[in-house]
Amino acid sequence: MPIASNCSKPRRLALALLCAVAGIAAAHAQDATAPTAKTQSPRQNSEIWEKASAKFEPQRRALLDKVAKGENAGPFRADWASLQAYRSPAWYDDAKFGIFIHWGVYSVPAFGSEWYSRNMYVQGSKEFAHHVATYGPQAKFGYKDFIPLFKAEKFDPAAWAKLFREAGARYVVPVAEHHDGFAMYDSKLSDWTAAKMGPKRDVIGQLSKAIRAEGLHFGLSSHRAEHDWFMGNGREFASDVNDPKYAEFYGPAQLRMAGSDSDALSTDFTYVSPAWLDDWLARTAELIDDYHPDLIYFDWWIGHPTFRNSLPPMLAYYYNEGAKRGGVVVNYKLGEFAEGAGVLDIERGRLAGIHPTHWQTDTSISNDSWGYIEHDTYKPPQELVQLLVDVVSKNGNLLLNIGPRADGSIPQGAQDTLRSIGRWLKTNGEAIYGSKPWRQFGEGPTEVVGGSFQETKTKPNTAQDFRFTTHGNTLYAIELAWPADGKAVIHALKPADGVKAVSLLANGKAVPFKQEDDGLHLTMPAKPVGEYAYVLRIELTGQGAK
């Protein structure tokens, strides 16, 4: 019989006392989850988190001291003037194609997107409604309660690494910590890690070994900066985010104060404490020291003005460490670094022309989410191959994301697409790996809309669209559709370029050509040779070879 019904008929003093204790506990639990958006200041939010994570202060301080000693122990100083001398390493410039992996606790609900951890606390969102209907109110079942369900029982790092090599990737970048604050590595600065909870495996450590065993470069991404505010909407109503018991995990959970354009960080006045900046720097140093990544990807919020003085020490520390082993890469979004102090990344978009220094675009193989969600759809291999070709022709790399399921399996649709890309690269990789841009990136009527988050605005390519790459005296003209009449013209090639021979990489056979004043005229086979994009190998002896 429920205690409450017995409480209404007190028969024993002990039972009455038990009822009172239960009532007090229930009231305390209710108070602990009560809204704090209007009762706590941003500084108080941060102080609660600082108290919850105070036991890690000695380890944090040791890491910060190490950064201070190492930030000038090499060719770089911890200032922007010095950091602008950075150049991307040859291994990265030649790699052209990498794999991004968004995998974490957010793969358990598998709904909406990888931002489920935030959006489940945003009243009025589809994730909020889904969460309440599926799991109950956030005061009873919060994001933390997904962690025991994140078991990764099918996670096979060696099989993953083999798949990525088959896809033709040359580097792999798993997310070490997403905005949700759950570390996928064995951190000495948190109890909320995959090594201690959920899978109880050092996911990043196991992946680094498997990826390097396949001869690939290993990178990682950190989205820790955004965790300062990522769970903040949970303070606006009764939820577990308000409970100091979970402050170590949920972080300061500040209410974000962004302007009308949430991506414009110059108008973002969200509170960031000095303690949070120290923790961010220490966690980044920990990743560098423990896993020695060849690349670190940061999301956009490190561009927030409060991070400006924390970035140079981190970059100098990492670049000086990386200089001892062939050079490393840090990806940044436009405006986050002094120009040239890292490798520019364009998210879900491209550049309109050749960039003077190496750059990268990152996009997801799926259309709706970076992390796994049910019923997501996948981009076709042709679209991704042509994206790769366009980016490489403009002096860039493609970082293509996949989202594994919570159990560690990679959806078959993603596997099939990766292997299709790998087959194309196996045949045509000569035009991609180690290539350099030509005097122009391409030609044709189809215009590429430049900038981040513009990928859906580019129209399908035609047989008049070409992209160019080079190796020495060899020009690769990559036709982005097969000509229906078997005739093609490359207008960029003039008589002075001295075309000596033309062949198709897909079958190695010569292609008849005739040089005219308006360009190089080609007679192609009646039916397509190969798939997705068609590479012509052109030997030059004149000006075009320069």
Side-chain angles (χ1 to χ4, degrees), residues 102-113:
H102 275 67
W103 189 44
V105 178
Y106 44 85
S107 305
V108 175
F111 182 88
S113 74

Side-chain angles (χ1 to χ4, degrees), residues 49 177-182 185 189-190 221-228 248-249 251-252 276 279-280 283-284 298 307:
W49 163 74
E177 181 179 340
H178 203 249
H179 311 321
D180 63 350
F182 188 76
Y185 61 100
L189 302 176
S190 175
S221 79
S222 170
H223 309 245
R224 176 71 180 176
E226 289 83 357
H227 191 57
D228 178 63
E248 185 205 329
F249 178 42
W276 185 256
D279 182 76
W280 174 85
R283 286 179 184 243
T284 305
F298 291 107
F307 281 81

Side-chain angles (χ1 to χ4, degrees), residues 318-384:
Y318 183 43
Y319 287 163
N320 286 337
E321 186 268 347
K324 302 172 185 176
R325 49 190 180 90
V328 294
V329 176
V330 174
N331 294 132
Y332 73 99
K333 307 297 175 66
L334 190 64
E336 293 173 356
F337 290 5
E339 187 175 358
V343 173
L344 177 66
D345 180 86
I346 305 294
E347 184 174 343
R348 288 193 184 270
R350 321 183 199 182
L351 294 179
I354 298 173
H355 199 267
T357 59
H358 218 77
W359 63 284
Q360 177 179 276
T361 184
D362 63 299
T363 190
S364 185
I365 200 170
S366 54
N367 290 307
D368 296 328
S369 176
W370 293 83
Y372 174 76
I373 60 172
E374 294 181 355
H375 312 301
D376 205 349
T377 57
Y378 298 96
K379 294 180 176 69
Q382 177 172 302
E383 178 181 338
L384 294 170

Side-chain angles (χ1 to χ4, degrees), residues 42-95:
R43 178 170 293 185
Q44 287 173 319
N45 294 339
S46 183
E47 288 172 348
I48 291 169
W49 163 74
E50 290 172 41
K51 182 179 179 181
S53 60
K55 66 179 180 179
F56 301 110
E57 185 59 23
Q59 298 94 313
R60 188 181 296 119
R61 186 51 50 191
L63 285 162
L64 293 174
D65 289 344
K66 191 173 182 181
V67 171
K69 292 177 182 177
E71 64 186 32
N72 295 311
F76 293 96
R77 302 185 312 270
D79 60 70
W80 291 114
S82 174
L83 294 166
Q84 281 189 306
Y86 168 82
R87 296 294 180 270
S88 55
W91 72 260
Y92 178 76
D93 294 355
D94 292 343

Side-chain angles (χ1 to χ4, degrees), residues 292-506:
H292 303 287
D294 301 316
L295 177 151
I296 301 178
Y297 175 106
F298 291 107
D299 216 337
W300 93 106
W301 220 70
I302 59 165
H304 191 272
T306 53
F307 281 81
R308 187 148 295 182
N309 291 329
S310 299
L311 289 169
M314 180 276 296
L315 290 171
Y317 182 71
Y318 183 43
Y319 287 163
N320 286 337
E321 186 268 347
K324 302 172 185 176
R325 49 190 180 90
V328 294
V329 176
V330 174
N331 294 132
Y332 73 99
K333 307 297 175 66
L334 190 64
E336 293 173 356
F337 290 5
E339 187 175 358
V343 173
L344 177 66
D345 180 86
I346 305 294
E347 184 174 343
R348 288 193 184 270
R350 321 183 199 182
L351 294 179
I354 298 173
H355 199 267
T357 59
H358 218 77
W359 63 284
Q360 177 179 276
T361 184
D362 63 299
T363 190
S364 185
I365 200 170
S366 54
N367 290 307
D368 296 328
S369 176
W370 293 83
Y372 174 76
I373 60 172
E374 294 181 355
H375 312 301
D376 205 349
T377 57
Y378 298 96
K379 294 180 176 69
Q382 177 172 302
E383 178 181 338
L384 294 170
V385 166
Q386 293 189 1
L387 171 62
L388 172 65
V389 166
D390 180 70
V391 168
V392 170
S393 74
K394 298 170 181 174
N395 204 27
N397 284 14
L398 170 62
L399 183 63
L400 181 64
N401 177 75
I402 63 164
R405 296 185 182 92
D407 65 6
S409 61
I410 297 174
Q412 193 62 48
Q415 291 191 47
D416 292 344
T417 297
L418 288 178
R419 290 193 173 97
S420 293
I421 296 170
R423 286 194 299 271
W424 187 87
L425 281 167
K426 188 174 183 179
T427 300
N428 300 287
E430 177 184 328
I432 301 298
Y433 302 122
S435 66
K436 305 296 182 185
W438 194 42
R439 65 190 181 207
Q440 65 188 69
F441 72 85
E443 67 178 41
T446 305
E447 293 186 9
V448 170
V449 179
S452 299
F453 302 103
Q454 303 295 318
E455 65 181 7
T456 60
K457 296 182 180 179
T458 298
K459 298 179 180 179
N461 293 296
T462 71
Q464 289 75 49
D465 290 299
F466 287 87
R467 295 294 180 268
F468 305 123
T469 63
T470 63
H471 269 298
N473 292 337
T474 302
L475 172 70
Y476 299 93
I478 307 172
E479 194 168 14
L480 300 181
W482 193 265
D485 60 359
K487 305 294 183 182
V489 180
I490 302 175
H491 296 286
L493 282 168
K494 303 301 182 182
D497 291 318
V499 175
K500 182 181 178 181
V502 181
S503 61
L504 277 164
L505 278 190

